[in-house]
Amino acid sequence: MSSPGVALARREPDALRVAAAESLVTWAITAHPGRVALTVSFGGGGLVLAHMVSRIDPRVPVLFLDTGFHFPETIAFRNRFAERYRLNVIDIHPASDPGPLYQTDPDTCCHIRKVEPLERAMAGLDAWITALRRDQSETRRTVEPVEHHEIGGRTIVKVMPLAHWTRDDVQRYLAAHRVPHHPLLDQGYTSIGCWPCTRPTAPGEPERAGRWSGTGKTECGLHTFTTKR
Ligand code: SF4
């Protein structure tokens, strides 16, 4: 006789995939009370995790890196989404404003507007939930659902419940739970960041091809500034 997990996997593989992600979010929250946060850009898979957090414990901080260059649609959608699901959204701001540095030095711009603020926010945390998926890009191909990362001389748990999900899994979850999606997805955007560094993608292009298009830059640094142990 097979275990309930094996039986579920045979009967409803999609259900198990979702259940496993939600179990991971539950574990991250219950194992690190008061020391865990979710980071979300409100563009894609983060909405799945924000929805799960709202059902498990809506007091969990949902960190939003307010770079000052988000699309107005992103800010409006974030506000609607946070209100609908009663999320504890916390805006994280840069410590300084270097102006439109994205034109000349996008790496430093991302560091000032994203990486340093997140590093600061992480100071009081032991666990970080984020929506990275293997199928998003080559640079994310090897992420594991649970990793240990060194940050500022200490170790935190980086939890990526959607590591094995596909873009279709995300869309299926949002549809099944009637969770709204970012309005720019209907205008050809497949990954949404700051407006100066994001364009819509053409059919068949990789999901993140519209980010820093033509510059060779593929990551903002949020997922490369920590060291995997
Ligand atoms: S994505 Fe562009 S505008 Fe946003 S922080 Fe990075 S370089 Fe600056």
Side-chain angles (χ1 to χ4, degrees):
M1 187 173 155
S2 57
S3 71
V6 171
L8 181 65
R10 286 199 185 118
R11 204 172 58 241
E12 299 177 64
D14 283 351
L16 184 67
R17 200 177 177 92
V18 171
E22 193 151 358
S23 298
L24 262 183
V25 176
T26 302
W27 168 78
I29 291 172
T30 54
H32 308 92
R35 307 276 298 175
V36 57
L38 165 69
T39 52
V40 170
S41 62
F42 291 94
L47 300 177
V48 171
L49 299 181
H51 180 252
M52 289 176 179
V53 163
S54 76
R55 303 199 314 177
I56 298 164
D57 185 350
R59 296 169 302 175
V60 169
V62 176
L63 307 182
F64 177 72
L65 293 165
D66 189 355
T67 63
F69 287 116
H70 285 294
F71 289 95
E73 289 89 342
T74 299
I75 301 298
F77 178 65
R78 179 205 64 166
N79 293 342
R80 288 197 304 275
F81 197 95
E83 189 177 333
R84 174 168 173 165
Y85 293 104
R86 300 181 186 282
L87 293 169
N88 178 20
V89 175
I90 298 172
D91 288 347
I92 308 295
H93 299 283
S96 62
D97 183 357
L101 198 54
Y102 56 82
Q103 294 171 339
T104 53
D105 188 351
D107 284 342
T108 302
C109 187
C110 279
H111 185 82
I112 291 172
R113 296 184 183 278
K114 293 184 174 186
V115 178
E116 190 282 330
L118 180 65
E119 196 168 3
R120 216 180 329 120
M122 287 283 153
L125 301 178
D126 294 329
W128 169 21
I129 308 171
T130 181
L132 263 65
R133 304 191 326 267
R134 289 184 168 193
D135 77 333
Q136 284 176 302
S137 66
E138 280 306 316
T139 54
R140 300 182 177 187
R141 199 67 71 195
T142 59
V143 297
E144 296 291 342
V146 178
E147 296 180 356
H148 292 85
H149 283 243
E150 210 160 282
I151 172 171
R154 63 197 187 87
T155 302
I156 65 160
V157 182
K158 189 171 178 180
V159 184
M160 292 166 278
L162 309 186
H164 297 292
W165 283 37
T166 64
R167 184 173 178 78
D168 285 348
D169 288 332
V170 170
Q171 288 168 347
R172 266 197 295 273
Y173 181 98
L174 297 181
H177 294 86
R178 298 173 189 269
V179 176
H181 61 265
H182 195 299
L184 290 181
L185 295 181
D186 297 329
Q187 297 181 33
Y189 292 84
T190 47
S191 175
I192 300 160
C194 298
W195 64 260
C197 305
T198 308
R199 65 158 173 80
T201 50
E205 273 195 306
E207 179 175 329
R208 287 174 62 81
R211 306 288 295 277
W212 306 283
S213 179
T215 68
K217 181 175 167 69
T218 56
E219 293 282 350
C220 59
L222 287 180
H223 297 291
T224 52
F225 82 103
T226 60
T227 308
K228 184 176 171 182
R229 296 191 69 190

